[in-house]
C-alpha cells in the first residue's frame, strides 16, 4: 500500500532504469498471435520500423525469449520492474529524487522492440491514420505534435472501474504498460499530456526522461487509487516535452477550485519557448471531476482553469494548447465556457467533421455493470488566432474497437488517444 506522497527512488531507481543502454540489449522478436478478424491492424514490426524512420527489415529466425520477470537485457528490466510497497516504504524518508538527467539515453526503437517482445502473444495494434487538415497554410518549421490521453490508472482499472467485458488478464500492468508505451512511441509526440497516471515514478518518468523528455507530475490530493489495496500511489496529471525542441520558461501546478473551495482535480500549465522559431506558447493538461450530477461543479472548475490560463497567457497574447479529459459532453456548460472564452479557443477534433463544427461521436467507449457508455469527453483546445491544426489522428472505428469495447487486449485504456500537429500562424494578431 502506498504510504507517502513524497516518493524518493534514490536506491530503487538504479535497479529500475539507471543501467546504460547497450547495442546488445535487444532480443530478436518472435512471431506474434494472428490479428483478430475485426478491422485493419498495424503490425508491431511495422511500427518499430516507422519509429526508426525506415521500412521493416526481415527478422531473424525466432528464438526463445525470457519472460519479463527473468529479463536478459537491462532495458527489459527497466520495463519489467514495478516498485513494491516495501520499496516505497523503505525510502519514504528520503526527500530528494535522483538526477534523471544523468541517466544514459535510450533509443526509442530499442524500447519499442522491447515492448513488442513483451506483447508477442497479444494481437497487433490497430492502424490509425492522420487526416490532413492544412488549409493552404505554409510553414517553414516542423509542426509541434501534441498527444492527449487518459491512460487509465492501473489501480482503478483493476480495482474500481468494473469493465465487465474486459478480462482481468488484459489489465496486467506488465503488459498494459507496454501497450501504452507502444502507442506513445508509435506517434512520437513532441508534447505528451496524460491523465490517470499512477505509475509515474517507476515507469513514465525514468523511461521518458531517457527518451529526452522533461517530465512533470501533479497528483490528485485525494486520489481514489489510494482506496485500492496494493495501489501504487495517487494518480494525477503528467506533462512531458522534448528538451531538444523546447525550453521551459515557466511552470505552474494548479489545484482547481469550485465555488471558492479547493477540489480534488488538478492541472499543469507550462510556458515553453520553441527552440526553432523562438515563439512562446503555453501547454496545459487537466482532468475535471467525473460522474453525472456534477455538471455545475465541472463548470466551476473550468472557469477557475480559464482564469488561471488568462493570467499565464497574458490574456491570450501567448498561444495556448489545453489537453484534457473534461468528463463533459459538448452539451455541457463547461464546454461552452471554453468555446466562448476570451482566449479565442477552438477544439481541434471538431475539424475532423465534414462541417468542422462537430465533435467526434466518442472518445471513450466501455461497458460497466450499469450498461454501455459511449461519450465524447476528451479534447485538445487551441488558440485559433495563433495556431493552425495541420493534421489530427483519426479515431478507432466501432469495428476496430469490437463488441467488448475498451479496454481490451488490443488497447490499454478506456479512452482513445488524441494526437494533433500544430504550426504557428504567421500573423496571429490579425485574427485575434
Amino acid at each position: 500500500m502506498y504510504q507517502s506522497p513524497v516518493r524518493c527512488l534514490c536506491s530503487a531507481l538504479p535497479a529500475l532504469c539507471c543501467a546504460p543502454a547497450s547495442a546488445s540489449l535487444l532480443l530478436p522478436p518472435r512471431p506474434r498471435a494472428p490479428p483478430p478478424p475485426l478491422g485493419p491492424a498495424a503490425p508491431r514490426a511495422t511500427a518499430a520500423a516507422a519509429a526508426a524512420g525506415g521500412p521493416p527489415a526481415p527478422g531473424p529466425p525466432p528464438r526463445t525469449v525470457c519472460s519479463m520477470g527473468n529479463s536478459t537485457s537491462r532495458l527489459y528490466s527497466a520495463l519489467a520492474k514495478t516498485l513494491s510497497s516495501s520499496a516505497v516504504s523503505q525510502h519514504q524518508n528520503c526527500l530528494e529524487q535522483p538526477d534523471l538527467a544523468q541517466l544514459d539515453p535510450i533509443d526509442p526503437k530499442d524500447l519499442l522492440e522491447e515492448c513488442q517482445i513483451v506483447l508477442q502473444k497479444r494481437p497487433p495494434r490497430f492502424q490509425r491514420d492522420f487526416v490532413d487538415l492544412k488549409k493552404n497554410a505554409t510553414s517553414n518549421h516542423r509542426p509541434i505534435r501534441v498527444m492527449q490521453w487518459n491512460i487509465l490508472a492501473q489501480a482503478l482499472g483493476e480495482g474500481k472501474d468494473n469493465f465487465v467485458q474486459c478480462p482481468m488478464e488484459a489489465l496486467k500492468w506488465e503488459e498494459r504498460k507496454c501497450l501504452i508505451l507502444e502507442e506513445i512511441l508509435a506517434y512520437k509526440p513532441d508534447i505528451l499530456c496524460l491523465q490517470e497516471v499512477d505509475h509515474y515514478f517507476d515507469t513514465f518518468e525514468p523511461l521518458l526522461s531517457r527518451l529526452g523528455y522533461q517530465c512533470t507530475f501533479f497528483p490528485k490530493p485525494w486520489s481514489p487509487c489510494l482506496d485500492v489495496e496494493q495501489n501504487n500511489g495517487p494518480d494525477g496529471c503528467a506533462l512531458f516535452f522534448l528538451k531538444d525542441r523546447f525550453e521551459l520558461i515557466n511552470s505552474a501546478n494548479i489545484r482547481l477550485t469550485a465555488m471558492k473551495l479547493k477540489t480534488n482535480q488538478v492541472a499543469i500549465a507550462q510556458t515553453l519557448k520553441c527552440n526553432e522559431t523562438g515563439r512562446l506558447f503555453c501547454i496545459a493538461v487537466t482532468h475535471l471531476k467525473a460522474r453525472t450530477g456534477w455538471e455545475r461543479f465541472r463548470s466551476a472548475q473550468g472557469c477557475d482553469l480559464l482564469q488561471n490560463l488568462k493570467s499565464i497567457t497574458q490574456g491570450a497574447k501567448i498561444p495556448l494548447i489545453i489537453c484534457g479529459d473534461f468528463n463533459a459532453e459538448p452539451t455541457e456548460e463547461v464546454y461552452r465556457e471554453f468555446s466562448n472564452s476570451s482566449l479565442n479557443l477552438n477544439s481541434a477534433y471538431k475539424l475532423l467533421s465534414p462541417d468542422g463544427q462537430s465533435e467526434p461521436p466518442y472518445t471513450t467507449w466501455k461497458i460497466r455493470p450499469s450498461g454501455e457508455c459511449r461519450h465524447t469527453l476528451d479534447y485538445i483546445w487551441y488558440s485559433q488566432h495563433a495556431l493552425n491544426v495541420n493534421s489530427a489522428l483519426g479515431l478507432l472505428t466501432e469495428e476496430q474497437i469490437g463488441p467488448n469495447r475498451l479496454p481490451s487486449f488490443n488497447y490499454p485504456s478506456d479512452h482513445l488517444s488524441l494526437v494533433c500537429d500544430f504550426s504557428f500562424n504567421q500573423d496571429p494578431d490579425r485574427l485575434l
Side-chain angles (χ1 to χ4, degrees):
M1 180 73 75
Y2 178 81
Q3 301 291 332
S4 168
V6 180
R7 312 216 316 171
C8 173
L9 309 181
C10 294
S11 300
L13 255 183
L16 285 167
C17 313
C18 296
S22 67
S24 61
L25 61 84
L26 288 180
L27 297 173
R30 288 175 56 182
R32 281 169 285 281
L38 291 177
R44 291 199 162 89
T46 304
R63 56 181 280 192
T64 303
V65 179
C66 295
S67 69
M68 281 286 284
N70 297 312
S71 166
T72 57
S73 80
R74 292 172 177 176
L75 181 55
Y76 219 43
S77 179
L79 276 170
K81 294 185 180 179
T82 301
L83 286 181
S84 65
S85 57
S86 60
V88 173
S89 59
Q90 280 180 347
H91 303 290
Q92 58 181 282
N93 295 324
C94 183
L95 299 180
E96 293 185 2
Q97 295 183 19
D99 185 1
L100 295 173
Q102 301 303 313
L103 301 181
D104 289 340
I106 53 179
D107 189 324
K109 176 179 176 290
D110 294 348
L111 180 56
L112 182 57
E113 291 185 1
E114 295 286 3
C115 288
Q116 291 165 356
I117 292 172
V118 178
L119 299 171
Q120 59 190 316
K121 293 184 179 179
R122 294 210 180 197
R125 51 185 299 276
F126 286 122
Q127 178 68 40
R128 296 170 66 185
D129 297 320
F130 280 90
V131 179
D132 189 351
L133 299 170
K134 291 192 293 291
K135 296 180 179 178
N136 300 321
T138 58
S139 175
N140 297 324
H141 306 289
R142 285 184 296 164
I144 297 170
R145 176 162 291 183
V146 177
M147 184 173 187
Q148 146 63 27
W149 199 9
N150 178 332
I151 61 171
L152 175 60
Q154 184 64 20
L156 300 183
E158 289 187 316
K160 275 183 172 283
D161 277 340
N162 295 318
F163 301 116
V164 294
Q165 295 298 320
C166 178
M168 288 300 295
E169 184 76 8
L171 296 173
K172 287 172 50 180
W173 180 242
E174 290 77 11
E175 295 181 5
R176 198 172 77 85
K177 67 182 172 185
C178 290
L179 279 176
I180 295 170
L181 289 168
E182 183 183 48
E183 182 96 344
I184 294 169
L185 291 164
Y187 299 123
K188 297 177 283 189
D190 301 305
I191 300 172
L192 174 63
C193 297
L194 302 179
Q195 298 87 34
E196 292 199 20
V197 179
D198 65 344
H199 276 271
Y200 175 80
F201 293 100
D202 64 340
T203 300
F204 294 103
E205 182 187 35
L207 287 174
L208 292 180
S209 65
R210 294 178 66 184
L211 292 172
Y213 289 92
Q214 182 154 328
C215 312
T216 305
F217 176 65
F218 193 22
K220 295 174 184 174
W222 313 301
S223 167
C225 292
L226 300 179
D227 298 332
V228 179
E229 191 174 353
Q230 300 299 320
N231 66 77
N232 196 61
D235 76 301
C237 293
L239 197 158
F240 309 85
F241 67 85
L242 287 176
K243 293 183 287 185
D244 65 351
R245 289 215 63 187
F246 311 106
E247 175 188 347
L248 179 63
I249 303 300
N250 181 60
S251 183
N253 288 351
I254 304 166
R255 184 173 173 185
L256 299 175
T257 63
M259 305 152 193
K260 299 184 179 180
L261 298 175
K262 292 183 178 179
T263 73
N264 194 36
Q265 280 64 49
V266 299
I268 304 169
Q270 296 188 335
T271 303
L272 306 179
K273 183 174 79 171
C274 177
N275 294 335
E276 190 174 357
T277 65
R279 299 275 294 270
L280 296 180
F281 67 100
C282 176
I283 179 73
V285 56
T286 194
H287 189 186
L288 301 188
K289 174 66 181 173
R291 308 298 179 206
T292 302
W294 292 86
E295 291 82 4
R296 290 183 61 193
F297 197 82
R298 279 192 288 275
S299 175
Q301 289 181 326
C303 286
D304 181 52
L305 178 58
L306 286 170
Q307 283 299 119
N308 277 279
L309 294 175
K310 285 175 186 175
S311 174
I312 291 170
T313 62
Q314 303 168 28
K317 289 183 180 178
I318 298 174
L320 174 64
I321 301 172
I322 309 167
C323 295
D325 175 356
F326 282 66
N327 276 307
E329 293 272 13
T331 53
E332 275 199 33
E333 180 63 29
V334 66
Y335 183 93
R336 292 191 291 272
E337 287 165 356
F338 274 73
S339 294
N340 301 327
S341 166
S342 61
L343 293 173
N344 195 23
L345 300 172
N346 192 26
S347 174
Y349 264 71
K350 284 167 56 176
L351 302 179
L352 288 180
S353 66
D355 61 358
Q357 299 298 316
S358 304
E359 293 288 354
Y362 51 84
T363 61
T364 179
W365 202 342
K366 66 203 87 176
I367 302 176
R368 285 180 165 148
S370 58
E372 191 160 341
C373 308
R374 189 184 86 152
H375 300 291
T376 300
L377 307 177
D378 307 273
Y379 307 96
I380 300 179
W381 297 91
Y382 69 101
S383 300
Q384 57 186 332
H385 63 283
L387 296 166
N388 300 309
V389 183
N390 295 356
S391 62
L393 182 65
L395 300 177
L396 290 178
T397 65
E398 179 177 358
E399 183 183 34
Q400 288 176 314
I401 291 173
N404 293 330
R405 309 314 183 199
L406 304 173
S408 66
F409 282 106
N410 293 84
Y411 202 79
S413 177
D414 55 325
H415 290 251
L416 298 176
S417 63
L418 309 180
V419 186
C420 290
D421 290 334
F422 290 96
S423 61
F424 289 104
N425 193 310
Q426 299 305 309
D427 187 12
D429 295 331
R430 181 176 61 85
L431 299 175
L432 186 61

